[in-house]
Amino acid sequence: YFIYSCICLFACFYLHLPVHDVNEVSGTPPRNQSRPPEGETEVHHRPKRGWIWNQFFVLEEHIGPDAQYVGKLHSNSDKGDGSVRYILTGEGAGTIFIIDEVTGDIHATKSLDRERKTHYVLHAQAIDRNTEKPLEPESEFIIKVQDINDNAPKFPDGPFVASVPEMSEVGTSVFQVTATDADDPTYGNSARVVYSILHGQPYFSVDPKTGIIRTALANMDREAREHYAVVIQAKDMAGQVGGLSGSTTVNITLTDVNDNPPRFPQKNYQLYVPESAQVGKPVGKIRANDEDLGVNAEIKYSIINAEGASVFSIATDRDTREGIISLKKPLNFEKKKAYTLHIEGVNTHLDPRFAYLGPFKDTATLKITVGDVDEPPIFSMDYYIMDVYENAPIGTEVGAVTARDPDSTNSAIRYFIDHSGDGDKYFSIDAHSGVIATTQSLDREETPWLNVTVIASEVDNPSLLSHVPVTVQVLDVNDNPPEISADGEVIVCESSRPGQVIQTISAVDKDDFANGLRFSFSMPSNMPVNPNFTLKDNEDNTASIVARRRRFSRTSQELYQLPVVVADGGEPALSSTGTLTLRVCSCGRSGMMRTCQSSAFLSSAGLSTGALIAILLCVAILLAIVVLFIALRKGKKEPLIISEEDVRENVVTYDDEGGGEEDTEAFDILALRNPSAAEELKFRRDVRPEALGRTAIPPPALTPPLVLDSADVQAFLARRLAEADGDTSVPPYDSLQTYAYEGEGSPTGSVSSLGSAGTHSEQDYSYLDDWGPEFQKLAELYGEVQSGLTT
């Protein structure tokens, strides 16, 4: 170390000597020459070679007792008499670096660390001690901290975790480690790292330069060893003696591959299953071992022989990897006492690289012994369907059920009916034979189907019970006559014609279709012929009511009774007589009913009795209010004399009534009959005669007569209005002017029947039926006239 320090000091002394070739070629000012003082012109001159520095070097981590010598500043102006004073400024000046003001020697007073700071920038200046004037311009230089190997390599992120598949080939890359060294990588070998493996051989190796860890041993088996702790060392100085080192641990795990087939621990197994085991429920389980993990250890089980697969099934439990054996069919100890199952377990995820290690499956034999169990009785059928005719006598046999003991003991069986059902009260069962009989008379129309449950038990073991459903159908007999199916009353239009179908009727029968499918309709044979209606059997289970005469009158007879006999086609045939009520109503031309009676109208409108009472009360209250209002108006007195100051506009009303066309005093009827004659009467009736002398209206002789025969009514009224406006003799208030005008005739002629022809018209008045109820009477009158003419 001492020799190394001496060499560094010699290099420092050599490098700080004046540089004679820098900046001379280009003629530019040197980099470390300061700028001229402010206000002075920069003069380009040849620099002094004795005042130019580039850099100094100082060794890091100096531990000597004295300050470390760095270098020396010297100016050509220094004669050695002490008149020159050297000044040092910049980073660390005065604290880390000190200068002898007389000699210019620079020393480092502290131990420096290159890893914390690599260099320092300082400025040097030489001034005259007496005049304090600068002898040299300020010069900048750098002191670099010289690196030594004082930092060992480190793995900042360690320890590490890595994995590699088992059975990997030699040289398979596993992981790469990288160490860092804080020393200067550009100086010497202080930061040059070499990797080596300290622990983990012969399984793994490491590349000295890159730090890549690789497998070094073939066919490493995870099932033999899964985890490895590999220690990697990083050493600087290129691994030479004296270099510093650091280490880290890489935990390597071998991941699983499917290199192990499943294996059953033994080849033969036995299982006991009682014959009472339920179908679909597990009865046992079997398992094959696989040393692999995860999906590589998944196994699918199957029964490979037909005998076992027909009765049993096997499925894989994904959590436990066990084969769960279940029952597909019920077992019977008396028929078969044992089964043999050949079970196979196969890996579901195969790796072709390791096919040579196969086959990846295994088989085992499972012998199942069926256990004998005392079983309940077994019925010959799963359910029974029986039938019996309705109205059958009590005690009639319906059918029989049969059960047996499936065990070898063949115990006797007893039967009884479960009384929790609805049909138990209608039937009884013989305890020994199982024969079911009726206990009541049955009615198919009331209950066509009955359900009972029969229970069978062994005499030796009554606790073992079996149940079976029994359904009894009640068969039909023809015991119900058919009936007429009519919705309300039959409506007969007043305008019905002979042969017209009034309504189609049908029948209903409570019996089954076999006894009531065909219906026949007829009139009672013991009654006289009906002059108004007849009945037509349509032979499709319907009949039509046909009118026998023309027109019916609601005023003369509103209701008719029509008896109808309907018979079914059963054995024996049954019949009944029903009476239909026919109501005569007014109908439109299309036969649609217009009205029948007030009660029906109100009912169709949806008005109840309460609603009608409420409407009548409202009408009575409104009438009372009107009467009270009129009484109050009549009781109000008006003044008889109007004050002269009360000047208002009034409407004069002439409400006197004339005596007819002969009363010419009250009203001139000629003005209505002949407007031309009214032209001569130009005097107003509301003006007194003595005022005629003062009127401004010209006399009648001066006014041209108005020819009204061809004049427009509007012009006539306009002229009358002008005369009234210009008349100064009218009262000083508004008066009602009446201008009555009657035309000379209608262009359509007279609508009077006086001038009509005396003979009857051939016109068809049937369209009057469509004009509504208001013209119904007129339509009937013309209809009768038309009918009389036709007759």
Side-chain angles (χ1 to χ4, degrees):
Y1 182 78
F2 175 74
I3 296 173
Y4 178 74
S5 301
C6 292
I7 294 174
C8 293
L9 289 174
F10 176 77
C12 293
F13 290 147
Y14 175 78
L15 291 175
H16 90 280
L17 295 177
V19 180
H20 300 286
D21 297 330
V22 179
N23 298 325
E24 280 192 0
V25 179
S26 62
T28 59
R31 181 180 60 83
N32 56 356
Q33 182 176 348
S34 63
R35 297 179 180 179
E38 186 177 357
E40 297 184 5
T41 304
E42 180 179 358
V43 179
H44 296 277
H45 56 83
R46 187 179 184 85
K48 297 179 181 180
R49 296 175 182 174
W51 191 249
I52 299 176
W53 297 270
N54 281 332
Q55 58 187 357
F56 291 110
F57 291 90
V58 59
L59 197 64
E60 70 168 334
E61 304 294 347
H62 177 71
I63 58 176
D66 300 329
Q68 183 181 184
Y69 181 75
V70 179
K72 184 180 180 66
L73 299 180
H74 180 73
S75 173
N76 293 337
S77 301
D78 188 358
K79 304 300 182 181
D81 54 359
S83 61
V84 178
R85 181 161 66 94
Y86 295 96
I87 300 175
L88 184 66
T89 60
E91 295 179 340
T95 56
I96 300 175
F97 304 102
I98 60 174
I99 188 172
D100 190 328
E101 295 183 351
V102 177
T103 62
D105 294 331
I106 302 174
H107 291 80
T109 62
K110 296 182 180 180
S111 178
L112 302 180
D113 187 0
R114 189 202 67 84
E115 286 70 36
R116 297 182 60 184
K117 190 170 180 64
T118 59
H119 65 276
Y120 298 86
V121 180
L122 294 97
H123 298 83
Q125 190 175 15
I127 62 175
D128 192 322
R129 187 180 298 275
N130 298 322
T131 62
E132 295 296 329
K133 290 184 178 181
L135 300 176
E136 300 289 349
E138 185 179 281
S139 177
E140 178 183 288
F141 64 95
I142 297 175
I143 297 178
K144 285 189 174 181
V145 181
Q146 189 69 35
D147 182 52
I148 64 172
N149 190 18
D150 59 342
N151 291 279
K154 296 181 179 179
F155 295 92
D157 298 328
F160 303 95
V161 176
S163 62
V164 63
E166 63 173 332
M167 309 297 291
S168 297
E169 297 180 356
V170 176
T172 302
S173 177
V174 180
F175 192 72
Q176 183 179 12
V177 294
T178 302
T180 59
D181 196 321
D183 292 328
D184 189 1
T186 63
Y187 181 77
N189 293 326
S190 299
R192 185 179 177 185
V193 178
V194 175
Y195 300 95
S196 62
I197 185 168
L198 299 181
H199 182 72
Q201 294 176 335
Y203 305 104
F204 299 95
S205 64
V206 65
D207 189 297
K209 295 181 179 180
T210 61
I212 297 177
I213 303 173
R214 301 179 185 274
T215 58
L217 188 64
N219 298 328
M220 287 191 292
D221 190 3
R222 183 199 64 82
E223 288 74 28
R225 183 178 177 182
E226 185 175 4
H227 301 287
Y228 296 85
V230 180
V231 179
I232 303 298
Q233 182 189 63
K235 189 174 183 181
D236 60 10
M237 297 299 294
Q240 299 177 5
V241 179
L244 304 179
S245 63
S247 63
T248 187
T249 301
V250 181
N251 296 312
I252 301 176
T253 301
L254 296 182
T255 58
D256 183 65
V257 297
N258 192 9
D259 59 340
N260 294 280
R263 291 288 182 263
F264 286 101
Q266 58 193 55
K267 289 299 182 181
N268 295 289
Y269 296 87
Q270 291 186 355
L271 181 64
Y272 173 84
V273 179
E275 63 175 338
S276 60
Q278 297 182 8
V279 175
K281 298 295 183 179
V283 295
K285 52 189 174 182
I286 190 172
R287 176 173 179 172
N289 297 327
D290 195 324
E291 296 180 354
D292 295 323
L293 299 175
V295 296
N296 298 319
E298 290 184 358
I299 302 173
K300 180 180 179 182
Y301 298 93
S302 59
I303 301 174
I304 58 178
N305 65 318
E307 177 189 5
S310 62
V311 182
F312 297 91
S313 64
I314 188 169
T316 303
D317 189 326
R318 292 187 177 181
D319 296 330
T320 62
R321 294 192 177 93
E322 294 176 332
I324 308 300
I325 303 171
S326 301
L327 190 62
K328 293 173 61 177
K329 296 180 179 179
L331 300 177
N332 191 333
F333 174 80
E334 288 71 27
K335 291 185 178 181
K336 193 173 181 61
K337 297 178 175 57
Y339 294 88
T340 300
L341 277 63
H342 297 292
I343 300 175
E344 182 183 62
V346 181
N347 278 143
T348 57
H349 296 78
L350 301 179
D351 194 334
R353 296 177 300 171
F354 309 105
Y356 64 93
L357 299 175
F360 287 82
K361 61 183 179 179
D362 195 14
T363 59
T365 301
L366 175 62
K367 184 177 181 180
I368 297 179
T369 301
V370 180
D372 187 18
V373 177
D374 193 5
E375 301 174 88
I378 297 177
F379 283 96
S380 59
M381 299 177 64
D382 295 333
Y383 59 91
Y384 293 86
I385 298 178
M386 305 176 183
D387 54 60
V388 62
Y389 281 99
E390 64 176 331
N391 303 326
I394 297 176
T396 302
E397 293 186 3
V398 179
V401 297
T402 304
R404 64 178 180 85
D405 183 7
D407 300 319
S408 58
T409 57
N410 195 15
S411 176
I413 306 299
R414 295 180 62 89
Y415 305 94
F416 55 94
I417 292 179
D418 186 3
H419 294 283
S420 61
D422 297 333
D424 63 312
K425 61 182 179 179
Y426 297 99
F427 304 98
S428 63
I429 188 170
D430 187 275
H432 301 284
S433 64
V435 175
I436 300 175
T438 60
T439 59
Q440 294 184 20
S441 179
L442 303 177
D443 186 2
R444 189 203 66 87
E445 287 72 35
E446 181 181 353
T447 52
W449 293 87
L450 292 172
N451 297 314
V452 295
T453 301
V454 177
I455 303 175
S457 66
E458 296 181 8
V459 176
D460 297 337
N461 190 359
S463 61
L464 295 177
L465 304 176
S466 296
H467 299 73
V468 66
V470 178
T471 301
V472 179
Q473 180 183 9
V474 181
L475 302 179
D476 183 56
V477 296
N478 194 19
D479 59 345
N480 290 279
E483 297 178 355
I484 297 296
S485 175
D487 298 332
E489 298 176 338
V490 179
I491 302 301
V492 180
C493 294
E494 291 181 323
S495 59
S496 298
R497 299 182 303 276
Q500 181 178 350
V501 176
I502 303 300
Q503 186 169 328
T504 301
I505 61 175
S506 61
V508 294
D509 196 331
K510 295 180 181 181
D511 292 324
D512 195 6
F513 65 90
N515 293 314
L517 179 62
R518 174 69 176 91
F519 298 117
S520 60
F521 301 86
S522 62
M523 303 285 284
S525 58
N526 56 352
M527 296 182 65
V529 178
N530 193 319
N532 300 311
F533 306 98
T534 185
L535 192 66
K536 177 185 178 182
D537 192 342
N538 298 324
E539 297 184 356
D540 59 353
N541 293 329
T542 63
S544 299
I545 302 174
V546 182
R548 301 190 66 177
R549 67 183 183 87
R550 179 184 299 277
R551 304 193 60 84
F552 294 86
S553 176
R554 182 161 56 96
T555 57
S556 59
Q557 183 175 352
E558 182 178 5
L559 298 177
Y560 292 88
Q561 302 294 329
L562 180 65
V564 177
V565 178
V566 56
D568 59 19
E571 291 293 338
L574 298 179
S575 63
S576 66
T577 302
T579 302
L580 299 178
T581 301
L582 286 72
R583 181 180 296 274
V584 179
C585 293
S586 299
C587 302
R589 185 182 181 184
S590 60
M592 184 173 57
M593 183 179 63
R594 295 291 187 180
T595 179
C596 235
Q597 58 185 6
S598 59
S599 60
F601 173 76
L602 293 176
S603 175
S604 63
L607 297 177
S608 62
T609 305
L612 292 175
I613 296 176
I615 293 173
L616 293 176
L617 288 176
C618 293
V619 172
I621 293 173
L622 290 176
L623 291 176
I625 294 174
V626 171
V627 171
L628 180 62
F629 178 75
I630 294 174
L632 292 176
R633 289 291 303 270
K634 289 184 177 182
K636 186 176 180 180
K637 296 181 179 180
E638 297 182 358
L640 299 176
I641 302 175
I642 302 177
S643 174
E644 295 180 357
E645 298 179 356
D646 186 9
V647 179
R648 66 182 70 181
E649 296 179 354
N650 295 282
V651 178
V652 179
T653 303
Y654 302 95
D655 55 355
D656 55 338
E657 183 178 358
E661 296 183 357
E662 298 179 356
D663 188 1
T664 57
E665 297 298 330
F667 192 84
D668 191 359
I669 197 64
L670 294 178
L672 293 177
R673 292 183 175 177
N674 190 1
S676 301
E679 179 66 18
E680 300 176 358
L681 301 176
K682 302 182 64 177
F683 303 106
R684 292 165 56 105
R685 292 184 177 272
D686 56 350
V687 180
R688 291 176 297 178
E690 56 269 16
L692 294 176
R694 301 187 300 269
T695 181
I697 300 176
L702 300 178
T703 303
L706 180 61
V707 182
L708 297 178
D709 294 338
S710 60
D712 191 0
V713 177
Q714 185 176 3
F716 170 74
L717 296 177
R719 181 167 181 176
R720 288 298 192 187
L721 180 62
E723 293 176 0
D725 291 341
D727 191 355
T728 59
S729 62
V730 297
Y733 47 82
D734 289 343
S735 62
L736 180 64
Q737 303 291 331
T738 303
Y739 303 102
Y741 177 78
E742 181 179 5
E744 295 182 348
S746 174
T748 59
S750 175
V751 296
S752 174
S753 61
L754 298 177
S756 59
T759 61
H760 294 284
S761 175
E762 298 296 334
Q763 184 177 356
D764 184 10
Y765 296 99
S766 60
Y767 64 89
L768 295 176
D769 293 334
D770 300 331
W771 284 18
E774 296 83 357
F775 297 90
Q776 188 63 32
K777 190 63 177 177
L778 182 62
E780 294 177 356
L781 293 175
Y782 275 94
E784 293 179 353
V785 172
Q786 191 69 17
S787 301
L789 292 176
T790 303
T791 303

